[in-house]
Amino acid sequence: MSRAPDDDAVTQCLALLLQSPPGQRKNVLMDVQGILSTYLTADEVAARARSVLEQHAHEQLLQVPIQLDGQKDEAILCSSAKMDDEYIHPRLPCRFTYDHVQETIGEVTACPKPTDAKERLRAAVDEKLSQYVYEYYHTGMSLTFAQGSVAAESAEPTQNEDGNDSLGTHPASDVPFTLTLHIVGNKYNLRNFWAGRWRSTYVVDVNARTFSHAQIQIQTHYFENGNVQMHGTCQPSLPTLIDTEDLPDAILSAICAYEQAYQGQLCEAVSRLRDSAFKALRRTLPITRQKIDWDKVVSYKLGSELANK
């Protein structure tokens, strides 16, 4: 190497990884390694980039396929799933390691399946969320995580009017208990130079029956004869959940109502961009709204006038 690298310059260069378009993180890493090749080897760049790649995976809710005892599923890499140097997947349940540089999964080991009230509520919400994603997201997936503990009075489910178990009873107010719901949908069409990703995260304070955090993030990338990304972020204020309503149903009803409304607003915004901003960037067509056929230019009024001169 010709000279020692500037740490600030290397840090700024590695930060480009956080802007990686959907499905192209490995390509961006290779580009960064090429930029820094004068100062660092590819392995040295990868070693320095490990923490940045982990941050990117958590922010983007990266999906990874896992398999345990013949069962296949997809896990989400996120801060809610991280425990020490491993990730947990509560649906199987299991824990596993992940190499963010090589993008490979390490050993997958089974975990004891909880049977307490916290897990019953988490599983019920996760099932409702999976049904919602299956219905509305073409290539989406979801996962629900639980943090905290449930008070004794909520350990036994009650029955609703239909005679089915209801998880509407909530823990005592002095017991911290939250549910984190992640939804992620990816659409890759790199052969046609575009890709997109939808991410939404909801944190439910079970004690207060409120959404303590809600965020929707959209990222699209078009790179045919250019390189354009669009990022959209929305942090909605969702309503307090009704005490008399079954909690999993109440959570999903609130999410569904808001996301459908947001989708409508998004379509209107894109339509306005197409009809105003994008249209203003294009060359205006003639009043006929047709391209000029230069072989028939004399048939146009201007062409006739020029021909007579």
Side-chain angles (χ1 to χ4, degrees):
M1 302 303 157
S2 59
R3 60 186 178 87
D6 185 301
D7 285 341
D8 290 339
V10 172
T11 300
Q12 293 176 15
C13 194
L14 292 176
L16 295 173
L17 292 167
L18 298 177
Q19 303 177 36
S20 301
Q24 299 176 67
R25 187 176 70 161
K26 184 176 292 186
N27 302 73
V28 176
L29 176 59
M30 292 174 61
D31 290 339
V32 170
Q33 288 172 328
I35 294 172
L36 296 175
S37 60
T38 306
Y39 313 108
L40 300 170
T41 65
D43 290 340
E44 289 173 333
V45 174
R48 291 199 180 198
R50 190 174 299 275
S51 61
V52 181
L53 292 172
E54 179 179 322
Q55 179 184 347
H56 177 267
H58 292 183
E59 291 178 354
Q60 296 294 320
L61 303 179
L62 190 66
Q63 300 171 237
V64 294
I66 58 174
Q67 183 172 347
L68 177 67
D69 298 332
Q71 299 182 72
K72 296 181 180 180
D73 201 357
E74 283 192 304
I76 292 180
L77 303 182
C78 59
S79 56
S80 300
K82 189 72 182 292
M83 292 187 63
D84 299 325
D85 294 329
E86 295 181 309
Y87 291 93
I88 61 170
H89 183 60
R91 193 177 291 156
L92 284 183
C94 65
R95 61 178 63 223
F96 60 93
T97 57
Y98 185 80
D99 188 325
H100 290 277
V101 175
Q102 301 297 327
E103 298 186 359
T104 56
I105 297 175
E107 183 181 3
V108 181
T109 57
C111 298
K113 187 174 180 62
T115 58
D116 57 1
K118 180 178 75 171
E119 173 57 21
R120 289 199 300 272
L121 178 57
R122 187 212 65 79
V125 173
D126 190 56
E127 182 179 1
K128 293 284 186 180
L129 186 63
S130 297
Q131 294 172 358
Y132 166 72
V133 170
Y134 178 79
E135 182 176 358
Y136 290 102
Y137 289 82
H138 180 61
T139 57
M141 72 155 295
S142 62
L143 201 55
T144 304
F145 297 89
Q147 293 87 27
S149 56
V150 182
E153 59 264 33
S154 65
E156 295 299 329
T158 59
Q159 286 192 336
N160 55 26
E161 296 178 355
D162 299 328
N164 299 320
D165 286 345
S166 171
L167 292 164
T169 304
H170 54 85
S173 59
D174 59 343
V175 180
F177 182 32
T178 61
L179 294 171
T180 301
L181 292 72
H182 289 307
I183 299 173
V184 57
N186 301 303
K187 189 70 174 179
Y188 305 140
N189 196 336
L190 303 184
R191 292 184 61 183
N192 290 317
F193 308 103
W194 64 265
R197 175 174 291 146
W198 168 291
R199 290 164 287 153
S200 51
T201 297
Y202 303 93
V203 180
V204 180
D205 185 335
V206 179
N207 303 328
R209 295 182 71 89
T210 60
F211 289 89
S212 58
H213 175 75
Q215 185 176 56
I216 297 174
Q217 294 174 287
I218 299 172
Q219 182 179 4
T220 58
H221 180 223
Y222 293 88
F223 54 101
E224 183 177 12
N225 296 326
N227 193 341
V228 179
Q229 290 195 55
M230 183 191 77
H231 296 258
T233 301
C234 176
Q235 293 183 314
S237 297
L238 296 179
T240 301
L241 304 173
I242 303 173
D243 281 331
T244 57
E245 192 174 1
D246 183 62
L247 187 56
D249 286 335
I251 292 172
L252 268 298
S253 295
I255 291 175
C256 181
Y258 182 80
E259 289 198 348
Q260 288 184 353
Y262 181 68
Q263 284 278 8
Q265 296 170 8
L266 189 63
C267 289
E268 291 178 5
V270 172
S271 180
R272 287 195 299 270
L273 280 174
R274 180 191 62 201
D275 296 337
S276 57
F278 289 162
K279 187 176 180 180
L281 295 174
R282 300 172 62 186
R283 180 178 298 173
T284 305
L285 290 171
I287 194 171
T288 60
R289 302 187 68 82
Q290 300 293 326
K291 292 183 179 180
I292 294 176
D293 186 346
W294 293 103
D295 294 331
K296 301 178 181 179
V297 68
V298 293
S299 65
Y300 296 110
K301 181 179 179 181
L302 178 60
S304 300
E305 292 176 353
L306 292 174
N308 293 330
K309 288 186 178 180

